[in-house]
Amino acid sequence: MPDFKARTIDWLAAAAGLERTQIATLLEQPPDPKLGDLALPCFRLAAQFRRAPQKIAAEIAASELERPDFIAAVEATGAYVNVRFHPGAFVAAVVTAIQQAGAKAADTAAADSTDDDSDPILIEFSSPNIAKPFHVGHGFSTILGESLARIHSYRGARVLRFNHLGDYGTQFGRLIVAWERWRDDQALEEDPIAELTRIYVRFHAEVDKDPTLDDEARQRFRALENGEPEAVALWERFRELSLESFSHIYRRLGIRFDNWNGESFYSPFIPGVIEQLRDAGLLEHSDGAEVVRLDDLDLPPALLLKSDGTTIYASRDVAAAIWRWQQHHFARNLYVVGIPQTLHFRQVFAVLKKMGYDWADRCQHVGFGTIRFQTGDVNSEEGAQISDFSTRAGNIVKLEDLLNETVAKTRSIMEQNQAGRDDGMTEEEILLASELVGRAAVQFLYLKNGRERDILFSWEEMLDFEGDTAPYLLYTNTRIASIMRRAGGEEAARASHQDLLLLGSESERELATHLAGFDSIVELAARQSEPSNLARWLLQLARSYNRYYAATPILLTEDAGLRRARLALCQAVASRLGLGLHLLGIETVERM
Ligand code: ARG
C-alpha cells in the first residue's frame, strides 16, 4: 500500500525547514477535493516565521526542492499549501509494487528457503486410514490443509506437512484373518484398496456365522502388537499398498508431505506417557479403564487406556503431540480434521496442559464440515446422475471418483465450447486442460465457503463457467493471457512510470484498491485458518476485472502510453490471480 501521506509530509517538512511532527499535526484534507488531496494551513506558522501566513504558503509552494513523482501540483491558495496527487499515482504505485513482488516471489521459489531455523508451523492434514478408501472427507482435509500450508509459507513461515496415517488398531487383526482366507491376488493388483475393503466387509459377514473368527482376529492383533514378524510383514504390506494408492491423489494435487508418521509410530511412546500421567497423579480408574478427569474444564474424562490394557486413539494423539514438540519445537501445531472430532482434540489439548506442557496452547484443531450429495430430482438428468454416483460406492464417495467424474464433465463442456471454432484447441490440449480445470473445480468447492459449513455438492454449480467457481477464475486468467499474447508479450513490461500515471479512471482505481488488499486478505486467511477469505477475494477481483474489461478498450487504446499502462494493469491482475490460485493449491491453465 503506497504511503503517499507520509512521503508528502517528508517533502513539506524539507521544503519549509520544519519538523515532520509539526507538519503532521497541521496537515488536513481539503473540504473540496478539487483543491487537492492534502492541505497545509499556514496560520499557526506565522509567529515562528514572523511573516504573513499567505506569504509562507507562497514560499513553500515555490520551493525548488524535487517532489516525489506522485505529486502532480503544489499550489498556494490564500494561507493554504494545497498538494494534488496524480490521479493515476495510486494505481501506478500498486501496479509497480505487484511487478516487484512478482519478481521477488519467483526469486524465493528458486532459492527454496531450507536454511531457515525458525520455529515451524506444523500442519497435520489428510491423514487417511490404511486399507480404507480415501473418501471426500479426507479430500476436505487434504485440500484445506495444503492451502493453509501454502498460505503460511507465503507469509514467510517454515511449514512442515504431517500426514498422520490411521495405521493402527484392532481392525488389522481382522484384516490379516480375512487376507489369509479370501484375498484375490488379481483383484489386489488392479485396485488394492477395493480388494482390502472387500475382504474386510466379508470378514464382518462371515463372523456372524462363525464367531471363532473374532478370537482369531484378536490373536492376530496381539501378534502384531508383540511384533511377531509374520503379522508385522502383512501389516507392512497393507500399509505399502495403501500408500501406493494414496500417492496417486497426492501427485495429482501436487502435494508432498514432510512426515508420514502414522498412529502406529507413536504407539511405543505411550507407556512412558501413561507413567508420567500416573506419577503426576492425573490418572484415575474408572470402570476398569484409565482416564484423566477434566471436570474443572467442563469436559468429559479423557479415556487413555482400555480395561484390557490396549491403548486408544487419544493416547496416541497425546504421545504424538509430545513427540512433535520434542522434535520440532513448533510455533503452531494445526490439526486439519473434521468437526466431529472437536471434543477429542479439546480433551487431548487439556490433558497436555495438565501434564504441564504450556505449548499445548500452540495446538489448534482446524475443523471442517461434511459434504452432502443431494440425492436430487431423479427425473432431471443432473439429479439422476448425482444420486447414481453417490450410491455406486455404497455411500462412501471416493475423492478419486469425484475428481474423475468432474474432469470428464469438464471435458465435455470444453468440447462443446470449442466446437466450430477455427482457432479451437486440439483434442490433446482439451484433455490436459480439462484435467486441470476439473481438478480446480473440486478444490475450489472445498475452499470457497467458510470451512465449518457443510458442502452441498452440485455439478451444475461447481462447473458453471460464469459462476463463483474455479473455472470462472481460470477462464478470467486465460482471457488476460490471451490479451497479452495478442499485444505481443513484452508490451506490458515496457510501461514506464509516466505511462502508469495515466491510469486514473474510476474503474482503474477500483481495481487497484482491490489489488492493494491482497496481503491483508492472505494475513486474515492465515490468522483464521480460512482460505475462503482469499477465495472470495479472488472472485471479487475477477468480477471487478471483467467489468473493467467489458467497459474499457485495452488493445484498442489509441494512446500508446496508456495502452502499455492498461496492459500492465491487466498483467498485475493476472499476477495476483495466479498467485492467489496457487495459494489455494490450484494450477492455472493457458487456454480453456
Ligand atoms: N485417520 C483419521 C480419520 O480418518 C483422522 C486422523 C486425525 N488426526 C489425528 N491426529 N487424530 O478420521
Short mmCIF file of all heavy atoms in Angstrom, two decimals, residues 124-130 133 135 137-138 141 163-167 263 266 313-314 316-317 320 324 335-338 341 344-345 348, ligand 1:
data_model
loop_
_atom_site.label_atom_id
_atom_site.label_comp_id
_atom_site.label_asym_id
_atom_site.label_seq_id
_atom_site.Cartn_x
_atom_site.Cartn_y
_atom_site.Cartn_z
N GLU A 124 -0.92 -30.72 10.29
CA GLU A 124 -1.29 -32.11 10.08
C GLU A 124 -2.57 -32.13 9.25
O GLU A 124 -3.57 -31.52 9.62
CB GLU A 124 -1.53 -32.81 11.41
CG GLU A 124 -1.84 -34.29 11.21
CD GLU A 124 -2.79 -34.84 12.23
OE1 GLU A 124 -2.40 -34.98 13.40
OE2 GLU A 124 -3.95 -35.13 11.85
N PHE A 125 -2.51 -32.80 8.11
CA PHE A 125 -3.73 -32.87 7.29
C PHE A 125 -3.74 -34.14 6.45
O PHE A 125 -2.76 -34.86 6.39
CB PHE A 125 -3.87 -31.62 6.43
CG PHE A 125 -2.80 -31.42 5.39
CD1 PHE A 125 -3.03 -31.75 4.06
CD2 PHE A 125 -1.58 -30.87 5.72
CE1 PHE A 125 -2.05 -31.54 3.08
CE2 PHE A 125 -0.59 -30.66 4.76
CZ PHE A 125 -0.83 -30.99 3.44
N SER A 126 -4.87 -34.38 5.85
CA SER A 126 -5.15 -35.56 5.02
C SER A 126 -5.41 -36.79 5.89
O SER A 126 -6.54 -37.22 6.05
CB SER A 126 -4.04 -35.82 4.00
OG SER A 126 -4.55 -36.66 2.98
N SER A 127 -4.33 -37.38 6.45
CA SER A 127 -4.45 -38.47 7.43
C SER A 127 -5.51 -39.53 7.12
O SER A 127 -6.40 -39.78 7.94
CB SER A 127 -4.72 -37.89 8.82
OG SER A 127 -3.80 -36.88 9.12
N PRO A 128 -5.42 -40.19 5.96
CA PRO A 128 -6.40 -41.24 5.65
C PRO A 128 -6.08 -42.51 6.44
O PRO A 128 -5.05 -42.58 7.11
CB PRO A 128 -6.19 -41.49 4.16
CG PRO A 128 -4.77 -41.13 3.92
CD PRO A 128 -4.44 -40.01 4.88
N ASN A 129 -6.95 -43.48 6.35
CA ASN A 129 -6.77 -44.73 7.07
C ASN A 129 -6.32 -45.83 6.12
O ASN A 129 -6.87 -45.98 5.03
CB ASN A 129 -8.07 -45.12 7.75
CG ASN A 129 -8.52 -44.05 8.72
OD1 ASN A 129 -7.73 -43.51 9.49
ND2 ASN A 129 -9.80 -43.70 8.67
N ILE A 130 -5.31 -46.56 6.57
CA ILE A 130 -4.77 -47.69 5.79
C ILE A 130 -5.88 -48.69 5.48
O ILE A 130 -6.73 -48.95 6.32
CB ILE A 130 -3.67 -48.38 6.63
CG1 ILE A 130 -2.51 -47.43 6.86
CG2 ILE A 130 -3.21 -49.67 6.00
CD1 ILE A 130 -1.89 -46.91 5.63
N PRO A 133 -10.93 -46.70 1.91
CA PRO A 133 -10.97 -45.75 0.79
C PRO A 133 -10.62 -44.32 1.23
O PRO A 133 -10.90 -43.93 2.36
CB PRO A 133 -12.43 -45.80 0.32
CG PRO A 133 -13.06 -46.95 1.00
CD PRO A 133 -12.24 -47.30 2.19
N HIS A 135 -11.79 -41.06 1.05
CA HIS A 135 -13.10 -40.51 0.68
C HIS A 135 -13.11 -38.98 0.64
O HIS A 135 -12.09 -38.33 0.92
CB HIS A 135 -14.19 -41.06 1.60
CG HIS A 135 -13.95 -40.80 3.06
ND1 HIS A 135 -14.03 -39.54 3.61
CD2 HIS A 135 -13.64 -41.64 4.07
CE1 HIS A 135 -13.79 -39.62 4.89
NE2 HIS A 135 -13.54 -40.88 5.20
N GLY A 137 -14.28 -36.84 2.53
CA GLY A 137 -13.96 -36.17 3.79
C GLY A 137 -12.45 -35.97 3.93
O GLY A 137 -11.99 -34.90 4.33
N HIS A 138 -11.67 -36.99 3.56
CA HIS A 138 -10.22 -36.81 3.54
C HIS A 138 -9.83 -35.77 2.50
O HIS A 138 -8.83 -35.08 2.64
CB HIS A 138 -9.52 -38.14 3.26
CG HIS A 138 -9.74 -39.16 4.33
ND1 HIS A 138 -10.27 -40.40 4.08
CD2 HIS A 138 -9.54 -39.11 5.67
CE1 HIS A 138 -10.36 -41.07 5.21
NE2 HIS A 138 -9.94 -40.31 6.20
N SER A 141 -9.89 -32.37 4.17
CA SER A 141 -8.69 -32.15 4.98
C SER A 141 -7.47 -31.91 4.09
O SER A 141 -6.65 -31.01 4.35
CB SER A 141 -8.45 -33.36 5.88
OG SER A 141 -7.22 -33.25 6.54
N ASN A 163 1.40 -36.10 7.72
CA ASN A 163 0.29 -36.99 7.39
C ASN A 163 0.19 -38.04 8.49
O ASN A 163 1.03 -38.93 8.59
CB ASN A 163 0.54 -37.64 6.03
CG ASN A 163 -0.71 -38.25 5.45
OD1 ASN A 163 -1.62 -38.64 6.19
ND2 ASN A 163 -0.77 -38.35 4.13
N HIS A 164 -0.83 -37.91 9.32
CA HIS A 164 -0.98 -38.78 10.49
C HIS A 164 -1.84 -39.99 10.08
O HIS A 164 -3.04 -40.05 10.34
CB HIS A 164 -1.68 -37.97 11.59
CG HIS A 164 -1.74 -38.61 12.94
ND1 HIS A 164 -0.68 -38.66 13.79
CD2 HIS A 164 -2.77 -39.19 13.61
CE1 HIS A 164 -1.03 -39.24 14.93
NE2 HIS A 164 -2.30 -39.58 14.83
N LEU A 165 -1.18 -40.93 9.41
CA LEU A 165 -1.91 -42.07 8.85
C LEU A 165 -2.60 -42.90 9.93
O LEU A 165 -2.02 -43.17 10.98
CB LEU A 165 -0.92 -42.99 8.12
CG LEU A 165 -0.31 -42.47 6.84
CD1 LEU A 165 0.80 -43.42 6.39
CD2 LEU A 165 -1.37 -42.33 5.74
N GLY A 166 -3.83 -43.30 9.61
CA GLY A 166 -4.54 -44.21 10.50
C GLY A 166 -4.08 -45.63 10.20
O GLY A 166 -4.66 -46.32 9.37
N ASP A 167 -3.00 -46.05 10.86
CA ASP A 167 -2.42 -47.36 10.52
C ASP A 167 -2.35 -48.27 11.73
O ASP A 167 -1.47 -49.10 11.85
CB ASP A 167 -1.02 -47.17 9.91
CG ASP A 167 -0.06 -46.51 10.88
OD1 ASP A 167 -0.48 -46.16 12.00
OD2 ASP A 167 1.12 -46.35 10.52
N GLU A 263 -0.28 -43.48 13.20
CA GLU A 263 -0.58 -43.70 14.62
C GLU A 263 0.32 -44.77 15.22
O GLU A 263 0.72 -44.69 16.39
CB GLU A 263 -2.04 -44.11 14.77
CG GLU A 263 -3.01 -42.99 14.47
CD GLU A 263 -4.45 -43.41 14.71
OE1 GLU A 263 -4.69 -44.14 15.68
OE2 GLU A 263 -5.32 -43.01 13.91
N TYR A 266 3.60 -43.81 17.00
CA TYR A 266 3.61 -43.20 18.34
C TYR A 266 3.27 -44.21 19.43
O TYR A 266 3.44 -43.91 20.62
CB TYR A 266 2.63 -42.03 18.37
CG TYR A 266 2.97 -40.97 17.34
CD1 TYR A 266 2.22 -40.83 16.18
CD2 TYR A 266 4.07 -40.14 17.52
CE1 TYR A 266 2.54 -39.88 15.23
CE2 TYR A 266 4.41 -39.20 16.58
CZ TYR A 266 3.64 -39.07 15.43
OH TYR A 266 3.97 -38.13 14.50
N TYR A 313 -6.99 -44.27 20.55
CA TYR A 313 -6.77 -43.11 19.70
C TYR A 313 -6.23 -41.89 20.47
O TYR A 313 -5.23 -41.28 20.08
CB TYR A 313 -8.13 -42.81 19.06
CG TYR A 313 -8.17 -41.77 17.98
CD1 TYR A 313 -7.32 -41.87 16.87
CD2 TYR A 313 -9.08 -40.72 18.04
CE1 TYR A 313 -7.41 -40.92 15.87
CE2 TYR A 313 -9.16 -39.78 17.04
CZ TYR A 313 -8.32 -39.88 15.95
OH TYR A 313 -8.41 -38.95 14.96
N ALA A 314 -6.88 -41.53 21.58
CA ALA A 314 -6.50 -40.31 22.30
C ALA A 314 -5.09 -40.42 22.86
O ALA A 314 -4.32 -39.45 22.81
CB ALA A 314 -7.49 -40.03 23.43
N ARG A 316 -2.64 -42.07 21.65
CA ARG A 316 -1.68 -41.92 20.54
C ARG A 316 -1.53 -40.45 20.17
O ARG A 316 -0.45 -39.98 19.83
CB ARG A 316 -2.12 -42.73 19.34
CG ARG A 316 -1.91 -44.24 19.56
CD ARG A 316 -2.10 -45.04 18.29
NE ARG A 316 -3.50 -45.18 17.91
CZ ARG A 316 -4.36 -46.04 18.47
NH1 ARG A 316 -3.95 -46.82 19.45
NH2 ARG A 316 -5.60 -46.11 18.06
N ASP A 317 -2.63 -39.69 20.26
CA ASP A 317 -2.54 -38.27 19.94
C ASP A 317 -1.75 -37.49 21.00
O ASP A 317 -1.02 -36.55 20.67
CB ASP A 317 -3.94 -37.65 19.75
CG ASP A 317 -4.30 -37.56 18.27
OD1 ASP A 317 -3.41 -37.31 17.45
OD2 ASP A 317 -5.49 -37.75 17.93
N ALA A 320 1.80 -38.33 20.29
CA ALA A 320 2.24 -37.70 19.03
C ALA A 320 2.55 -36.22 19.22
O ALA A 320 3.56 -35.71 18.72
CB ALA A 320 1.16 -37.87 17.96
N ARG A 324 6.14 -34.47 18.56
CA ARG A 324 6.28 -33.34 17.62
C ARG A 324 6.95 -32.15 18.30
O ARG A 324 7.77 -31.46 17.69
CB ARG A 324 4.91 -32.92 17.10
CG ARG A 324 4.29 -33.95 16.18
CD ARG A 324 2.89 -33.51 15.79
NE ARG A 324 2.22 -34.56 15.04
CZ ARG A 324 0.98 -34.45 14.59
NH1 ARG A 324 0.28 -33.34 14.83
NH2 ARG A 324 0.43 -35.43 13.92
N TYR A 335 -4.23 -29.09 13.47
CA TYR A 335 -4.84 -30.37 13.10
C TYR A 335 -6.02 -30.09 12.18
O TYR A 335 -7.04 -29.57 12.64
CB TYR A 335 -5.36 -31.11 14.33
CG TYR A 335 -4.29 -31.52 15.31
CD1 TYR A 335 -3.79 -30.62 16.25
CD2 TYR A 335 -3.79 -32.82 15.32
CE1 TYR A 335 -2.81 -31.01 17.17
CE2 TYR A 335 -2.82 -33.21 16.23
CZ TYR A 335 -2.33 -32.30 17.15
OH TYR A 335 -1.38 -32.69 18.05
N VAL A 336 -5.87 -30.41 10.91
CA VAL A 336 -6.97 -30.18 9.97
C VAL A 336 -7.81 -31.46 9.92
O VAL A 336 -7.52 -32.39 9.16
CB VAL A 336 -6.44 -29.80 8.57
CG1 VAL A 336 -7.59 -29.42 7.65
CG2 VAL A 336 -5.43 -28.67 8.67
N VAL A 337 -8.80 -31.49 10.76
CA VAL A 337 -9.62 -32.70 10.97
C VAL A 337 -11.08 -32.27 11.11
O VAL A 337 -11.37 -31.18 11.62
CB VAL A 337 -9.16 -33.44 12.25
CG1 VAL A 337 -9.96 -34.71 12.46
CG2 VAL A 337 -7.66 -33.77 12.20
N GLY A 338 -12.00 -33.12 10.68
CA GLY A 338 -13.42 -32.78 10.69
C GLY A 338 -13.98 -32.37 12.05
O GLY A 338 -13.45 -32.75 13.10
N GLN A 341 -14.59 -34.40 15.44
CA GLN A 341 -13.52 -34.72 16.39
C GLN A 341 -13.16 -33.54 17.31
O GLN A 341 -12.12 -33.56 17.99
CB GLN A 341 -12.29 -35.22 15.64
CG GLN A 341 -12.60 -36.52 14.89
CD GLN A 341 -11.37 -37.29 14.46
OE1 GLN A 341 -10.34 -37.25 15.10
NE2 GLN A 341 -11.50 -38.01 13.35
N HIS A 344 -12.69 -34.57 20.96
CA HIS A 344 -11.46 -35.36 21.09
C HIS A 344 -10.24 -34.43 21.24
O HIS A 344 -9.42 -34.60 22.13
CB HIS A 344 -11.30 -36.25 19.86
CG HIS A 344 -9.92 -36.79 19.66
ND1 HIS A 344 -9.38 -37.79 20.44
CD2 HIS A 344 -8.93 -36.42 18.79
CE1 HIS A 344 -8.15 -38.03 20.04
NE2 HIS A 344 -7.85 -37.22 19.05
N PHE A 345 -10.14 -33.43 20.37
CA PHE A 345 -8.97 -32.56 20.43
C PHE A 345 -8.98 -31.66 21.66
O PHE A 345 -7.93 -31.41 22.25
CB PHE A 345 -8.82 -31.75 19.14
CG PHE A 345 -8.28 -32.59 18.01
CD1 PHE A 345 -9.08 -32.94 16.94
CD2 PHE A 345 -6.98 -33.08 18.05
CE1 PHE A 345 -8.60 -33.75 15.91
CE2 PHE A 345 -6.48 -33.88 17.03
CZ PHE A 345 -7.29 -34.22 15.96
N VAL A 348 -7.57 -33.87 24.29
CA VAL A 348 -6.13 -34.11 24.12
C VAL A 348 -5.33 -32.89 24.57
O VAL A 348 -4.37 -32.99 25.34
CB VAL A 348 -5.81 -34.47 22.65
CG1 VAL A 348 -4.30 -34.41 22.40
CG2 VAL A 348 -6.35 -35.84 22.29
N1 ARG B 1 -7.41 -41.00 10.41
C1 ARG B 1 -8.45 -40.21 10.99
C2 ARG B 1 -9.73 -40.29 10.15
O1 ARG B 1 -9.69 -40.69 9.02
C3 ARG B 1 -8.06 -38.77 11.11
C4 ARG B 1 -6.85 -38.51 11.96
C5 ARG B 1 -6.89 -37.17 12.58
N2 ARG B 1 -5.68 -36.77 13.21
C6 ARG B 1 -5.35 -37.01 14.49
N3 ARG B 1 -4.19 -36.56 14.94
N4 ARG B 1 -6.13 -37.65 15.29
O2 ARG B 1 -10.78 -39.93 10.64
#
